[in-house]
Amino acid sequence: MTMTMTTRRFTGHRVLLTGAGRGIGEATARRFAAEGAAVLVTDREPERAERVAAAITEDGGTAEAYGCDVTDDAAVRAAVAHAAETFGGLDTLVNNAYSCHPDPSAFEDLDSAAWYQDIDVTLHGAARCVRAALPHLAAAGGSASIVTVGSVNAERHFGDHAYSAAKAALASLTRTLAVSCAPRGVRVNLVEPGTIRTPAWSGREDALSRVAAHYPLGRVGEPTDIAAAITFLASPDAAWITGITLPVDGGLLISNLGMNEAMRPGAAAE
């Protein structure tokens, strides 16, 4: 993907992204770099991060790769320190790393290890990153931000109990952090994606096609849709926005197309 962005809202900006080795994280790293930011691409699988950073550099952007498991306090602190030392500070943290295990057929059969992993990576991982990054963000002169990737699962039943609970907790954490971080010049916001065409759906393209019918805009999302929202919230365009949860969901949360179809005259007879 060649970087052809003309707007450069992030010249001189320093960004650390977690879970940035593919999907939403990769698209967001590329978008920040295309608009002038220096990005630290982190992922628990270092080779993924290296691939993304190399592609950004090849396209003329500034990026470094760093292996980071967000369940490891020391690894998180090291990644943040590396970003601050390499780039001379930190302006934006993007919390994108997550874990999601599919639900068993009965909740009582849910594996405890899977439950705790989903919570630890998705919720506690973000909290670890915020704790490590805040001193650097607060030193950025009042223009810093944290953007976390949530999910529409926090708002409605779409399955995946542990993942959904963690994403709901992230929305609450966003609101409380927004208030406590405001005096330090750090804005805190969250994006809630709907169904996004990422590698997590590899081999299930037929399911994506069926899901698209439930979206008022008639399609599932692309990673670039979420990258656009994340970079907006991190940009000067959102300088007076903090503590919000922004659904980027093709209208899913405001609709019930399945119910509408069921109530259509003649539907029951077909």
Side-chain angles (χ1 to χ4, degrees):
M1 183 177 81
T2 301
M3 296 189 294
T4 58
M5 302 294 298
T6 56
T7 302
R8 294 179 68 85
R9 295 174 294 181
F10 299 108
T11 299
H13 209 80
R14 295 80 47 100
V15 183
L16 186 154
L17 307 96
T18 67
R22 63 179 191 170
I24 291 170
E26 176 179 358
T28 305
R30 287 175 174 268
R31 179 69 182 256
F32 271 116
E35 294 199 43
V39 298
L40 187 68
V41 180
T42 77
D43 198 279
R44 70 179 174 185
E45 297 190 26
E47 63 276 9
R48 287 182 180 173
E50 289 163 4
R51 179 188 61 81
V52 174
I56 289 172
T57 301
E58 183 178 345
D59 284 346
T62 301
E64 285 207 10
Y66 201 91
C68 180
D69 179 350
V70 298
T71 67
D72 183 331
D73 281 316
V76 168
R77 290 194 297 269
V80 170
H82 183 78
E85 180 178 350
T86 301
F87 302 141
L90 190 62
D91 299 287
T92 293
L93 167 67
V94 177
N95 291 310
N96 178 62
Y98 76 94
S99 174
C100 181
H101 287 83
D103 288 335
S105 56
F107 184 75
E108 59 268 29
D109 295 330
L110 193 151
D111 179 70
S112 292
W115 173 275
Y116 288 119
Q117 182 179 354
D118 286 359
I119 299 294
D120 195 22
V121 174
T122 309
L123 173 61
H124 299 162
R128 289 185 187 96
C129 291
V130 171
R131 288 201 306 269
L134 259 177
H136 301 284
L137 295 171
S143 60
S145 68
I146 298 166
V147 184
T148 297
V149 179
S151 172
V152 293
N153 283 45
E155 308 293 340
R156 303 284 189 276
H157 169 63
F158 297 112
D160 303 323
H161 293 294
Y163 169 84
S164 300
K167 291 296 191 180
L170 284 174
S172 176
L173 182 63
T174 293
R175 292 188 291 271
T176 57
L177 281 174
V179 175
S180 64
C181 293
R184 302 175 72 179
V186 181
R187 297 182 298 105
V188 188
N189 292 294
L190 181 139
V191 172
E192 280 187 344
T195 306
I196 307 299
R197 192 187 308 277
T198 68
W201 287 90
S202 179
R204 295 188 291 160
E205 288 75 12
D206 57 335
L208 281 179
S209 296
R210 293 194 301 273
V211 166
H214 294 274
Y215 282 84
L217 290 183
R219 67 173 177 89
V220 298
E222 301 294 337
T224 51
D225 293 317
I226 309 307
I230 292 170
T231 52
F232 162 69
L233 287 174
S235 78
D237 296 330
W240 211 46
I241 298 175
T242 195
I244 72 157
T245 291
L246 175 64
V248 186
D249 66 350
L252 180 67
L253 293 178
I254 59 166
S255 69
N256 192 332
L257 294 184
M259 178 71 77
N260 290 348
E261 179 64 19
M263 295 176 66
R264 182 172 55 84
E270 293 177 1

